Amino acid sequence: MPSNSSTFSVIGSDVSIKGNVSASADLHVDGSVEGDIKCTSLVQGETSLVTGGIMAETARLSGRVTGSINVRELVILKSAQIEGDVHYDALTIEQGAQVDGRFAPNDRRKPEVKPAAPKASGAKPNGDEEPQLKIAQ
């Protein structure tokens, strides 16, 4: 749910949390979290450690994650070290990122709110969209 304010929360590099974190605002994590993170948008700093699952609309990861990741739009930067399964709609991975786990598109069997519109070029006959995967150089 979009917010009219530009509020975000920060977990600083000197902060260590044991327990689940839920944020209605955007979240920037530089410290360590031992537990699941649920938020709208997550930005993870290079020195950050997350041991637990991540669920967000968007995530930009550059630290270490041990746990499953379930997001719509995911960017994995070259400094990231991920150990766990990754579920996504759109995925960008910078060259040099380390991922030990399986990649799978989010379950497309969920009912769609909007009808599929035919695309101008390269459209599949049934109108299904393929999940996006971008490899950044």
Side-chain angles (χ1 to χ4, degrees):
M1 176 159 96
S3 173
N4 291 337
S5 65
S6 59
T7 307
F8 66 94
S9 298
V10 177
I11 297 174
S13 58
D14 60 331
V15 177
S16 178
I17 295 175
K18 287 188 179 187
N20 296 338
V21 176
S22 179
S24 57
D26 296 346
L27 184 62
H28 187 111
V29 178
D30 283 324
S32 66
V33 175
E34 189 176 326
D36 295 341
I37 296 177
K38 185 176 182 179
C39 61
T40 304
S41 179
L42 174 67
V43 175
Q44 181 195 33
E46 287 186 26
T47 59
S48 173
L49 169 64
V50 175
T51 306
I54 294 174
M55 183 178 282
E57 290 292 315
T58 64
R60 186 173 181 89
L61 308 177
S62 59
R64 184 173 184 84
V65 177
T66 303
S68 64
I69 299 169
N70 191 336
V71 298
R72 286 184 189 244
E73 295 179 30
L74 177 62
V75 176
I76 301 174
L77 300 176
K78 63 184 174 184
S79 58
Q81 298 176 3
I82 305 212
E83 187 176 325
D85 294 345
V86 178
H87 300 272
Y88 62 92
D89 285 341
L91 175 65
T92 303
I93 305 174
E94 273 190 348
Q95 185 174 2
Q98 299 175 23
V99 181
D100 182 9
R102 294 178 297 193
F103 288 95
N106 283 326
D107 186 3
R108 290 187 293 168
R109 291 176 291 174
K110 295 177 185 173
E112 289 290 324
V113 175
K114 59 183 180 182
K119 292 191 173 193
S121 64
K124 292 182 138 191
N126 63 4
D128 285 347
E129 292 184 31
E130 287 294 323
Q132 297 177 21
L133 172 61
K134 299 177 191 173
I135 306 295
Q137 296 287 325

